[in-house]
Amino acid sequence: MQITFGLDELQQVAQQILATPHLKKVITFHAEMGVGKTTLIKELVRQLGVNDHSSSPTFSLVNEYRTDKGEAVYHFDLYRLKSEEEAYDMGIDEYFYSGDWCFIEWPDKTPNLIPIDHATISITQTKDGLRVLELKN
């Protein structure tokens, strides 16, 4: 699936992503800094039924949320991760194989720990400020 959108269309984009048939619960996000990975994840988390304020887990590596149905949603920002060993030591693989939603920014920091069966969202920004999103499920 490919979608071109403006930031004012983020709610509809998140709805389209979550409506993807058989969408995998582990999703990696690929984009340059400032293109909107965190903003999109915040909207996905909200649409999944999380009522708490969500933010980037830049300093803690992972934020955990609960949906209104009690399901866990994990948001990872691996940008500051120094090694895969550091991620493994924190038990990151347990999150990834939990069966819960895992939204992962900067997954290239842990290439050997990401489950083979995952979805990928790539976002690029056009010269006129629109975003082009490609979902591979």
Side-chain angles (χ1 to χ4, degrees):
M1 165 173 57
Q2 186 169 329
I3 307 168
T4 300
F5 65 98
L7 291 179
D8 59 328
E9 300 171 282
L10 210 53
Q11 183 176 355
Q12 294 88 345
V13 170
Q15 288 171 352
Q16 282 183 268
I17 291 167
L18 293 173
T20 301
H22 310 292
L23 180 63
K24 294 174 178 75
K25 285 191 160 186
V26 175
I27 305 175
T28 60
F29 290 77
H30 304 265
E32 297 294 319
M33 196 170 290
V35 173
K37 295 181 298 293
T38 300
T39 304
L40 175 58
I41 291 170
K42 284 180 180 182
E43 183 59 27
L44 290 166
V45 166
R46 190 183 74 72
Q47 295 224 3
L48 285 169
V50 173
N51 296 316
D52 297 337
H53 172 72
S54 60
S55 62
S56 177
T58 301
F59 297 103
S60 61
L61 297 180
V62 61
N63 282 348
E64 178 180 346
Y65 304 105
R66 290 279 168 192
T67 68
D68 50 12
K69 296 176 184 170
E71 299 172 312
V73 179
Y74 301 106
H75 176 190
F76 298 86
D77 184 336
L78 305 179
Y79 183 75
R80 296 187 187 280
L81 198 65
K82 295 189 180 17
S83 68
E84 275 191 322
E85 186 175 333
E86 180 183 350
Y88 189 75
D89 288 346
M90 72 169 267
I92 206 166
D93 56 324
E94 292 178 28
Y95 291 102
F96 291 172
Y97 292 95
S98 66
D100 296 315
W101 288 102
C102 292
F103 300 130
I104 308 163
E105 296 185 59
W106 305 103
D108 53 316
K109 298 282 190 161
T110 59
N112 298 307
L113 300 178
I114 303 292
I116 291 171
D117 194 27
H118 70 276
T120 301
I121 290 178
S122 300
I123 308 169
T124 55
Q125 186 171 354
T126 66
K127 291 180 182 175
D128 57 358
L130 295 175
R131 276 37 176 201
V132 178
L133 179 146
E134 185 173 347
L135 169 64
K136 293 181 182 174
N137 189 32

